[in-house]
Amino acid sequence: MGNLHIYDDPSWSRKYNELDRQVHGLEGAPEWNALRTMLPDIQGANILDLGCGCGWVCRWAREKGAAKVLGIDLSESMLAKAAEFPDDPAITYARRNMEEDLQLPAAEFDVEFSSLALHYLVNLPGLFDQVYRSLKPGGVFVFDVIHPIRLATENPSWAEGVHRNEWPVDAYLVEGQRSLKWLGGNVQLQHRTIAGYLMLLIGAGFMLAAIEEWGADENQSKAFPYWIESGHCPVFVHFKVVKPKS
Ligand SMILES: C[S@@+](CC[C@H](N)C(=O)[O-])C[C@H]1O[C@@H](n2cnc3c(N)ncnc32)[C@H](O)[C@@H]1O
């Protein structure tokens, strides 16, 4: 892989682009309905999507009346895919690394959002500081990441349990890098505990408004057989935090 971002690796991103969530957009992302209920009314709002991929949420936000949307992503190929959609002058896409060169103006955005991107960041405290600074007072930050119990183990695989298959969480308290075999590649992610995420958010100045541990329900498991394995085990965790008004 060298320094190439995995989303720009042609053979890996070809497989990524075959996932339901890339082919069908938000309709193909079973957690989206739960995640979007955490968002406030975005009519007239200025929105930032961190790790926007090909811009599904940027376009959704405009449909829901957002005044302006900035989508940031590191991947050239994801942004090239975003550019294939009909142009909307109120959406700007920018190629930036969230860990290095975000350069966000202070008190600019009403709502900041990120889906399934922040678990890639080593410097998450730095990103949370930037999000806090760039939100208007009273602004809302909603994001989700892979649930830590999915990333905790250093040996990921289902094992036969007494009542159902079990997923090991042996290294839950050991935060740091994990290598996940996914779509034929080794994807490098950062494992953090739930308390780890919460303490970073509190340290940045945020107030917790909601948290949800999301897993597919029975109907979603039927519609998305990929999720059937998840059983009663959460797949993602959704956070909603607020920058206090004063
Ligand atoms: C699983 S995709 C999710 C894309 C989009 N949020 C969605 O839900 O369709 C993760 C995205 O995070 C982006 N990403 C990962 N690390 C990044 C970084 N350091 N800076 C900016 N984007 C990053 C990837 O390029 C990829 O587009």
Side-chain angles (χ1 to χ4, degrees):
M1 269 310 297
N3 288 326
L4 182 64
H5 184 45
I6 197 159
Y7 286 83
D8 282 336
D9 175 86
S11 66
W12 192 87
S13 70
R14 196 173 317 113
K15 289 182 205 150
Y16 182 81
N17 283 329
E18 286 166 5
L19 295 178
D20 280 337
R21 63 187 55 231
Q22 285 298 90
V23 177
H24 305 295
L26 299 172
E27 295 288 313
E31 78 287 2
W32 167 245
N33 272 342
L35 190 57
R36 76 173 173 174
T37 62
M38 287 190 165
L39 287 165
D41 180 10
I42 55 170
Q43 191 73 34
N46 190 6
I47 310 266
L48 173 65
D49 184 355
L50 294 154
C52 64
C54 68
W56 295 113
V57 171
C58 300
R59 292 183 291 278
W60 173 87
R62 282 286 293 149
E63 276 168 37
K64 297 291 167 206
K68 253 195 330 181
V69 185
L70 173 61
I72 279 176
D73 205 283
L74 178 59
S75 160
E76 265 174 40
S77 73
M78 295 294 265
L79 293 174
K81 201 164 151 55
E84 288 170 13
F85 289 85
D87 186 45
D88 177 345
I91 303 181
T92 306
Y93 294 107
R95 182 165 186 246
R96 292 192 210 154
N97 185 338
M98 281 191 269
E99 297 200 276
E100 286 170 13
D101 54 0
L102 261 190
Q103 299 157 3
L104 300 173
E108 170 78 5
F109 299 99
D110 300 289
V111 177
E112 300 196 21
F113 176 82
S114 181
S115 182
L116 303 180
L118 300 189
H119 42 228
Y120 292 105
L121 306 192
V122 175
N123 186 11
L124 191 59
L127 188 268
F128 283 170
D129 284 343
Q130 295 228 35
V131 170
Y132 187 88
R133 210 181 127 269
S134 59
L135 272 174
K136 295 176 186 168
V140 173
F141 177 35
V142 172
F143 70 95
D144 71 348
V145 286
I146 298 176
H147 196 290
I149 67 167
R150 295 303 181 117
L151 284 184
T153 184
E154 281 151 357
N155 298 299
S157 68
W158 289 95
E160 200 177 320
V162 182
H163 300 297
R164 57 174 75 96
N165 283 348
E166 290 171 355
W167 184 258
V169 288
D170 48 304
Y172 183 80
L173 288 176
V174 186
E175 292 192 325
Q177 181 134 331
R178 298 291 189 274
S179 183
L180 190 75
K181 285 198 188 334
W182 187 41
L183 304 176
N186 283 317
V187 184
Q188 304 303 313
L189 299 129
Q190 298 299 316
H191 165 64
R192 290 183 170 85
T193 63
I194 293 280
Y197 278 108
L198 291 175
M199 290 311 290
L200 290 181
L201 290 163
I202 291 167
F206 287 110
M207 282 174 2
L208 182 67
I211 179 166
E212 180 184 22
E213 298 179 287
W214 183 89
D217 63 25
E218 218 171 290
N219 286 336
Q220 287 165 325
S221 295
K222 277 185 206 140
F224 298 91
Y226 174 75
W227 299 100
I228 205 134
E229 264 192 323
S230 66
H232 299 277
C233 219
V235 184
F236 303 129
V237 55
H238 303 168
F239 295 91
K240 174 181 185 174
V241 294
V242 177
K243 175 173 176 172
K245 282 203 170 125
S246 57

